[in-house]
């Protein structure tokens, strides 16, 4: 959220998230507010290098261009200082001299020249090769050129490259020569040496500009290299473009307002797979360790201050290697040992419950979409008043009509849920089956506990949470407005209560603190609800196959607006790009003139042969990819790099099992009678580049096992002191045999078998220390090979 924004009158605001100058996400517009609450979460993988993560506050305008009020920009190197916690940031003015992105490739060299009269001079050679990743200007590729200057106290020699049209990756390949020092005679110096004071004061400056033609040129960034670093050496490097020295400073000292952000940023240096073999194997055998509290995976959750930090990479790693179900069963059994009453089964935030929560978020993503998205869309797009709390009713509200509206929505959501068992992923069913039988074994005299063990997850922690926060589960693009959020909250409460019917022995009405909810639920006292829930829980906790039949509805995977290259020709004979609405389901890939219109073009998923990136040089457009099928390739331009990466991943995942997938493709387009990449003149010739390798090992979700193992290694490294002290505690218990008499920081840790736990801890510490040595070797190697100015 933001507060105290200017101008000091009620306006409509929205916020964007940018990687350098590329917008990757945008919030919804908050109307008529000076302190707008956005309440939105965005999670994304960063598909390219960047310098700044920026947040811009805009004043929405209907007739004119949206006005940028201010920004918060955080350098990549500083993100770790803010991660994992909320911070208020003061908005800074938006200065065009500070809005830069991209990099430039230079080769610099000092030459010693002898003139015709025998004197010597020092010559600087600047070879500007190319730039990469320059920003879009007004949504289009820029027309860049560069100025190259040799700057000193009393000189400013400047030269200029040619303008390159419509490209963000210009190839300049131009060389410029500058005289560094005045001529001197060999009779005075037997060996030429540049004078120190001259070298200290000279620098090479390269400025990038967008050619404005009839309007003012736009500054794109600059780099400065002191001549002293060259000496008599020659080298080349990529330099990240920087803002002007006064680019982040402004004469304005006005308070533009502030923005509250919660940023979680992780960056991992992933080594080759063989480095992780020992740690990976130790983690994967956790479910076989007796007792489970002595396993590496359990110890990881114990030493991390926040269990969630450990759960996410752990669940993904175990999912990737098909080891999650036995591990969840083992930690759930330990959890049940400490549960004294059947009606509190799996209600806490233990390792078992958090693992199941995370598993459902990962595996159940498509299940939620096919089950809830249509009804959630109806509630959000055509909301009916549903407030039944007498205190919150507004003047003119009819509580009986509101109750009927709420009942209609609750019935519809409940009906969709209890009919969805056939779509429940097999992995979720396997986990629910284990939990059900473990709970029944722990409380054999309670006939309802087998149902409450499952409903506490599938209703309370899955469906009810998705209903109240649809944007978090990607069921809606943005956080709902206040009235819709209230409606979803009431529906969520009702679903939690209906889902527990038949599971617990006490009356549901007594669980409500609000009397108005008790009145509402008196209309639900029907046997059919109890039976529907019972049948649904039986179905989703069965090990029988739940594969949908061929007649089932296709799963909606992704949709959004992008640009596609026209398949035909326009009247003037030129190919063009048109804005279209794209939709991907488990059955087909389509595009439409507008959202909710009939598809103009349809490609069955089974007909897709490959999905690959398209070189920018094909059409001088960024963020392009191609869908290869039976006809001509479909060329598509996404709105930003994150969106392009997500579409490619989604299309690759849904087509991974297609039998006719190509092995080779053309990375560029076929234009003017030849392929731009390989110059072949036959349009249907075999591709010149190998297709992106690989069907993922986990066919349901894409998981990088090595990256998850690296994340776990990082967590062990951060908590190494805890591991060592826990090892000492286990050693003491094993030696002295008996309980610890004095409480310490580790009295809350579960140590069932001190010998087994000590053995695992020793293995963890040894493996982590060896991995640390490998990381240190890599850092030293990288540091020694880095050149001045390189990224």
């Amino acid at each position: 959220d933001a507060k105290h924004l200017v101008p000091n009158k009620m306006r409509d605001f929205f916020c964007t998230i940018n990687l350098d100058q590329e917008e990757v996400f945008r919030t919804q517009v908050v109307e008529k507010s000076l302190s707008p609450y956005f309440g939105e979460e965005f999670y994304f993988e960063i598909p390219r290098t960047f310098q700044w993560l920026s947040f811009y506050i805009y004043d929405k305008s209907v007739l004119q261009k949206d006005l940028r009020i201010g920004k918060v920009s955080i350098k990549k190197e500083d993100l770790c200082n803010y991660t994992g916690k909320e911070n208020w940031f003061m908005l800074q003015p938006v200065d065009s001299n500070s809005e830069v992105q991209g990099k430039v490739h230079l080769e610099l060299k000092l030459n010693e020249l002898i003139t015709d009269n025998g004197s010597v001079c020092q010559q600087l050679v600047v070879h500007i090769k190319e730039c990469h990743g320059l920003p879009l200007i007004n949504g289009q590729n820029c027309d860049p050129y560069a100025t190259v200057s040799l700057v000193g106290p009393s000189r400013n020699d400047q030269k200029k490259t040619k303008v390159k049209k419509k490209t963000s990756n210009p190839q300049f390949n131009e060389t410029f020569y500058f005289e560094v020092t005045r001529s001197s005679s060999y009779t005075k110096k037997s060996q030429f040496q540049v004078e120190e004071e001259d070298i200290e004061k000279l620098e090479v400056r390269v400025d990038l500009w967008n050619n404005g033609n009839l309007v003012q040129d736009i500054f794109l960034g600059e780099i400065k290299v002191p001549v002293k670093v060259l000496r008599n050496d020659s080298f080349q490097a990529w330099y990240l473009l920087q803002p002007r020295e006064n680019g982040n400073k402004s004469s304005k000292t006005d308070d533009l307002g502030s923005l509250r952000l919660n940023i979680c940023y992780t960056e991992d240096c992933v080594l080759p797979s063989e480095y992780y073999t020992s740690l990976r194997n130790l983690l994967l055998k956790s479910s076989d360790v007796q007792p489970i509290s002595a396993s590496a995976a359990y110890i990881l959750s114990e030493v991390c201050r926040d269990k969630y930090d450990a759960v996410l990479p752990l669940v993904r790693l175990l999912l990737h290697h098909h080891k999650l179900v036995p591990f969840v069963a083992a930690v759930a059994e330990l959890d049940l040992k400490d549960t004294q009453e059947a009606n509190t089964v799996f209600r806490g935030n233990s390792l078992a419950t958090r693992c199941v929560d995370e598993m459902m978020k990962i595996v159940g993503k498509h299940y939620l979409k096919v089950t809830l998205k249509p009804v959630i869309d109806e509630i959000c797009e055509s909301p009916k008043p549903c407030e039944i709390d007498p205190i919150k009713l507004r003047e003119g509200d009819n509580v009986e009509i509101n109750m009927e509206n709420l009942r209609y929505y609750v019935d519809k959501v409940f009906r969709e849920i209890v009919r969805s068992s056939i779509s429940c992923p097999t992995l979720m069913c396997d986990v629910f089956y284990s939990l059900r039988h473990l709970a029944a074994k722990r409380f054999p005299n309670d006939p309802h506990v087998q149902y409450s063990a499952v409903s506490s997850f599938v209703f309370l922690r899955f469906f009810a949470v998705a209903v109240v926060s649809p944007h978090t589960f990607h069921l809606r693009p943005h956080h709902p407005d206040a009235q819709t959020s209230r409606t979803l909250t009431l529906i969520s409460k009702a679903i939690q209560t209906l889902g527990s019917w038949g599971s617990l022995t006490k009356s549901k009405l007594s669980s409500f603190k609000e009397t108005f909810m008790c009145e509402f639920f008196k209309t639900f006292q029907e046997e059919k609800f109890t039976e529907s829930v019972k049948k649904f829980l039986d179905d989703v906790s069965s090990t029988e196959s739940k594969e949908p039949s061929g007649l089932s509805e296709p799963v909606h995977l992704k949709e959004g607006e992008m640009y596609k290259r026209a398949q035909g020709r326009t009247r003037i004979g030129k190919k063009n790009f048109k804005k279209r609405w794209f939709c991907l389901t488990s059955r087909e890939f389509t595009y439409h003139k507008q959202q909710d219109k009939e598809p103009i073009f349809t490609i069955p998923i089974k007909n897709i042969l490959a999905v690959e990136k398209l070189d920018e040089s094909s059409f001088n457009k960024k963020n392009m990819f191609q869908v290869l099928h039976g006809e001509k390739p479909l060329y598509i331009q996404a709105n930003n790099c994150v969106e392009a990466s997500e579409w490619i991943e989604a299309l690759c995942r849904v087509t991974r099992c297609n039998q006719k997938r190509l092995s080779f493709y053309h990375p560029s387009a076929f234009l003017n009678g030849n392929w731009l990449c390989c110059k072949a003149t036959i349009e249907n010739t075999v591709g010149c580049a190998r297709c992106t390798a690989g069907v993922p090992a986990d066919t349901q979700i894409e998981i990088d096992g090595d990256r998850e193992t690296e994340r776990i290694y990082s967590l062990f490294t951060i908590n190494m002191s805890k591991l060592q002290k826990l090892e000492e505690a286990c050693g003491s218990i094993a030696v002295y045999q008996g309980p610890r008499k004095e409480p310490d920081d580790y009295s809350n840790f579960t140590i069932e078998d001190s010998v087994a736990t000590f053995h695992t801890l020793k293995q963890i510490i040894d493996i982590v220390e060896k991995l640390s040595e490998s990381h240190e070797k890599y850092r030293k190697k990288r540091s020694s090979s880095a050149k001045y100015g390189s990224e």
Side-chain angles (χ1 to χ4, degrees):
D1 58 343
K3 63 182 180 182
H4 309 316
L5 299 180
V6 295
N8 295 317
K9 55 182 178 179
M10 306 296 263
R11 302 301 292 264
D12 302 339
F13 294 106
F14 66 91
C15 180
T16 66
I17 304 175
N18 293 49
L19 289 175
D20 297 321
Q21 292 304 292
E22 184 177 17
E23 180 184 320
V24 293
F25 287 109
R26 177 180 293 208
T27 70
Q28 64 182 352
V29 177
V30 177
E31 297 179 349
K32 294 183 172 47
S33 174
L34 286 177
S35 298
Y37 176 77
F38 301 109
E40 301 198 37
E41 295 181 9
F42 300 98
Y43 169 83
F44 59 100
E45 296 284 336
I46 300 175
R48 63 170 177 82
T49 58
F50 71 102
Q51 294 186 74
W52 299 86
L53 178 66
S54 300
F55 303 84
Y56 291 83
I57 295 290
Y58 283 82
D59 179 359
K60 180 70 175 175
S61 176
V62 177
L63 301 177
Q64 300 177 344
K65 187 177 179 181
D66 297 332
L67 176 65
R68 288 194 287 191
I69 300 297
K71 69 174 183 178
V72 172
S73 290
I74 306 172
K75 287 197 79 169
K76 177 184 175 183
E77 294 78 12
D78 297 333
L79 281 171
C80 58
N81 299 329
Y82 303 104
T83 190
K85 53 190 175 185
E86 288 186 355
N87 293 278
W88 280 101
F89 296 88
M90 297 298 294
L91 290 177
Q92 301 299 317
V94 179
D95 177 4
S96 60
N97 288 334
S98 69
E99 306 295 290
V100 303
Q101 75 172 48
K103 56 188 179 180
V104 59
H105 192 189
L106 292 183
E107 183 177 9
L108 304 171
K109 186 176 182 179
L110 277 173
N111 286 337
E112 182 181 304
L113 298 181
I114 303 174
T115 61
D116 293 339
N117 61 6
S119 61
V120 176
C121 69
Q122 192 82 345
Q123 184 185 59
L124 172 68
V125 183
V126 181
H127 181 192
I128 179 166
K129 294 189 172 185
E130 59 181 319
C131 291
H132 183 79
L134 298 181
L136 300 177
I137 304 296
N138 297 324
Q140 301 294 323
N141 280 329
C142 53
D143 296 337
Y145 69 90
T147 59
V148 182
S149 308
L150 183 63
V151 181
S154 59
R155 64 187 294 180
N156 187 355
D157 302 336
Q158 186 180 94
K159 302 184 180 183
K160 177 181 172 182
T161 68
K162 295 177 180 177
V163 175
K164 299 296 179 180
K165 293 289 187 180
K166 301 299 179 190
T167 177
S168 296
N169 302 320
Q171 304 282 330
F172 292 113
N173 202 27
E174 295 188 40
T175 304
F176 301 100
Y177 301 90
F178 298 90
E179 182 182 318
V180 175
T181 58
R182 294 177 181 177
S183 300
S184 58
S185 173
Y186 267 108
T187 58
K188 293 182 179 180
K189 295 183 179 180
S190 59
Q191 183 178 4
F192 181 83
Q193 184 177 6
V194 180
E195 296 179 17
E196 289 296 326
E197 58 268 27
D198 293 335
I199 287 295
E200 292 294 331
K201 297 174 183 177
L202 290 177
E203 67 180 9
V204 179
R205 191 178 76 200
V206 178
D207 294 82
L208 268 295
W209 298 85
N210 176 62
N211 182 36
N213 291 321
L214 300 179
V215 296
Q216 186 176 1
D217 292 354
I218 298 174
F219 175 75
L220 300 179
E222 70 176 13
I223 63 108
K224 295 179 180 180
V225 183
V227 174
K228 65 181 181 180
V229 303
L230 301 178
R231 296 299 175 182
N232 293 317
D233 192 14
S234 167
F235 69 88
Q236 56 180 310
W238 282 97
Y239 297 83
L240 293 170
L241 290 172
Q242 303 295 328
R244 282 180 174 160
E245 286 186 353
N246 63 347
N248 285 316
K249 300 175 184 177
S250 174
S251 57
K252 292 184 178 180
T253 57
D254 298 340
D255 184 0
L256 301 174
S258 53
L259 182 66
R260 183 168 58 165
L261 302 169
N262 189 336
I263 301 169
C264 293
Y265 174 76
T266 58
E267 181 176 330
D268 298 312
C269 173
V270 182
L271 299 173
S273 187
E274 58 268 18
Y275 285 88
Y276 300 106
T277 303
S278 298
L279 181 57
R280 183 170 55 242
N281 290 342
L282 186 64
L283 291 162
L284 293 179
K285 70 178 185 181
S286 292
S287 57
D288 300 325
V289 175
Q290 295 292 336
I292 190 66
S293 59
S295 67
Y298 194 92
I299 290 170
L300 174 68
S301 71
E302 291 279 83
V303 297
C304 288
R305 188 168 59 90
D306 185 349
K307 271 189 170 61
Y308 180 78
D309 292 340
V311 166
L312 181 57
L314 184 60
V315 167
R316 292 175 68 86
L317 180 68
L318 295 174
L319 264 176
H320 184 60
H321 292 280
H322 310 289
K323 294 285 188 179
L324 183 64
V325 176
F327 178 74
V328 167
V331 292
E333 190 170 14
L334 180 63
D335 202 11
L336 285 167
K337 284 182 181 178
D338 298 327
T339 305
Q340 303 303 319
E341 297 182 17
N343 60 2
T344 60
V345 163
F346 301 131
R347 292 300 174 97
N349 280 322
S350 64
L351 177 60
T353 58
R354 291 198 176 199
C355 282
V356 177
D357 284 351
E358 200 56 46
M359 177 275 296
M360 292 191 297
K361 285 181 185 177
I362 298 170
V363 177
K365 194 183 298 182
H366 295 160
Y367 178 34
L368 277 178
K369 281 188 176 181
V370 74
T371 304
L372 291 183
K373 193 174 190 312
V375 65
I376 296 293
D377 286 343
E378 178 187 340
I379 295 168
C380 293
E381 292 167 11
S382 305
K384 298 178 181 180
C386 295
E387 185 56 71
I388 59 174
D389 184 353
I391 299 174
K392 296 184 178 181
L393 287 172
R394 292 178 294 186
E395 188 176 347
D397 283 353
N398 187 317
V399 70
E400 291 184 0
I401 293 176
N402 288 5
M403 193 173 289
E404 287 180 10
N405 293 339
L406 183 59
R407 175 64 192 259
Y408 167 78
Y409 284 146
V410 170
D411 278 343
K412 195 160 189 177
V413 173
F414 178 79
R415 188 165 59 248
E416 292 299 329
I417 291 172
V418 295
R419 289 178 177 176
S420 70
S421 60
I422 194 170
S423 302
C424 186
T426 304
L427 186 69
M428 286 176 63
C429 295
D430 290 343
V431 170
F432 294 152
Y433 175 83
S434 296
L435 298 177
R436 175 178 180 169
H437 285 272
L438 286 169
K441 180 181 175 183
R442 173 70 177 85
F443 299 100
N445 297 323
D446 191 319
H448 302 291
V449 73
Q450 59 177 317
Y451 294 110
S452 62
V454 179
S455 67
S456 62
F457 287 107
V458 73
F459 277 101
L460 272 64
R461 294 172 178 264
F462 187 57
F463 284 120
V465 178
V467 168
V468 81
S469 302
H471 57 293
T472 305
F473 291 83
H474 305 291
L475 299 176
R476 294 291 299 170
H478 297 293
H479 183 78
D481 60 52
Q483 183 179 331
T484 307
S485 291
R486 174 62 179 165
T487 298
L488 292 173
T489 299
L490 293 172
I491 296 170
S492 179
K493 285 184 177 183
I495 293 302
Q496 290 182 52
T497 304
L498 288 173
S500 65
W501 275 15
S503 310
L504 306 179
T505 54
K506 65 180 181 179
S507 169
K508 299 303 155 303
L509 297 179
S510 64
S511 65
F512 283 115
K513 295 178 182 178
E514 306 99 332
T515 55
F516 63 87
M517 288 300 288
C518 293
E519 292 299 317
F520 176 63
F521 261 91
K522 286 179 181 177
T523 65
F524 285 86
Q525 298 288 349
E526 302 174 22
E527 187 69 23
K528 67 175 185 178
F529 287 100
T530 306
E531 289 302 314
S532 296
V533 171
K534 183 174 180 295
K535 183 179 184 306
F536 171 74
L537 296 174
D538 281 333
D539 289 342
V540 297
S541 58
S542 167
T543 56
E544 295 177 7
S545 174
K546 291 291 182 302
E547 293 300 323
S549 66
L551 298 176
S552 64
E553 287 295 313
V555 179
H556 180 95
L557 302 177
K558 191 171 178 61
E559 63 180 352
E561 201 170 59
M562 295 187 289
Y563 295 84
K564 64 97 189 173
R565 187 172 186 251
Q567 304 279 24
R569 291 183 177 274
T570 62
R571 291 181 181 178
I572 59 174
K574 293 184 179 179
K575 299 278 185 178
N576 58 7
F577 282 80
K578 294 182 179 179
K579 186 186 291 187
R580 291 289 182 256
W581 186 265
F582 288 81
C583 183
L584 175 64
T585 72
S586 55
R587 195 175 295 169
E588 59 192 19
F589 181 51
T590 59
Y591 63 76
H592 315 243
K593 208 162 192 177
Q594 294 176 341
Q595 188 178 4
D596 300 326
K597 297 290 185 182
E598 290 298 312
I600 301 173
F601 190 71
T602 300
I603 306 175
I605 294 300
K606 63 181 181 180
N607 291 354
I608 295 178
L609 307 176
V611 181
E612 298 289 346
K613 290 182 179 179
L614 186 71
D615 284 353
E616 180 190 330
S617 59
S618 299
F619 302 106
N620 284 330
K621 292 182 180 293
K622 302 178 76 170
N623 305 317
M624 289 203 66
F625 63 95
Q626 53 183 317
V627 179
L628 307 179
H629 56 109
E631 303 174 25
K632 292 184 177 181
L634 177 61
Y635 298 127
I636 301 171
Q637 183 187 26
N639 294 296
N640 56 65
C641 61
V642 173
E643 186 179 86
S645 177
E646 289 178 349
W647 272 104
I648 293 170
E649 181 185 342
L651 283 160
C652 286
R653 186 169 62 239
V654 78
T655 60
R656 65 187 180 272
C657 297
N658 287 0
Q659 295 181 351
K660 296 182 180 180
R661 282 182 67 90
L662 296 177
S663 299
F664 293 88
Y665 78 107
H666 291 283
S668 290
F670 186 82
L671 295 174
N672 302 321
N674 65 76
W675 289 100
L676 299 181
C677 43
C678 60
K679 307 304 178 186
T681 56
I682 301 174
E683 189 168 3
N684 61 356
T685 190
V686 176
C688 56
R690 183 171 289 278
C691 285
T692 306
V695 174
D698 188 302
T699 57
Q700 286 191 329
I701 49 175
E702 299 237 19
I703 293 175
D704 184 341
D706 292 338
R707 183 177 179 182
E708 305 305 334
T709 313
E710 168 62 28
R711 184 102 293 273
I712 291 171
Y713 153 75
S714 299
L715 292 171
F716 276 137
T717 303
I718 293 168
N719 295 284
M720 178 57 76
S721 61
K722 288 185 180 179
L723 290 171
Q724 291 169 339
K725 289 181 180 178
L726 192 56
E727 184 185 35
E728 291 174 10
C730 289
S732 299
I733 295 170
V735 171
Y736 295 110
Q737 294 296 324
R740 288 160 288 183
K741 294 181 181 180
E742 296 182 5
D744 54 38
D745 293 340
Y746 302 93
S747 57
N748 294 326
F749 284 83
T750 305
I751 305 178
E752 294 180 288
D753 186 329
S754 58
V755 175
T757 306
F758 180 87
H759 178 67
T760 304
L761 282 163
K762 191 174 187 314
Q763 288 180 284
I764 293 171
I765 293 169
D766 289 345
I767 291 170
V768 168
E769 287 176 348
K770 287 180 181 177
L771 260 174
S772 296
E773 291 175 6
S774 300
H775 274 284
E776 187 58 31
K777 286 179 182 177
Y778 171 78
R779 275 191 287 269
K780 286 181 178 179
K781 181 180 178 182
R782 186 180 183 188
S783 177
S784 62
S785 62
K787 294 181 179 179
Y788 177 86
S790 60
E791 295 175 66

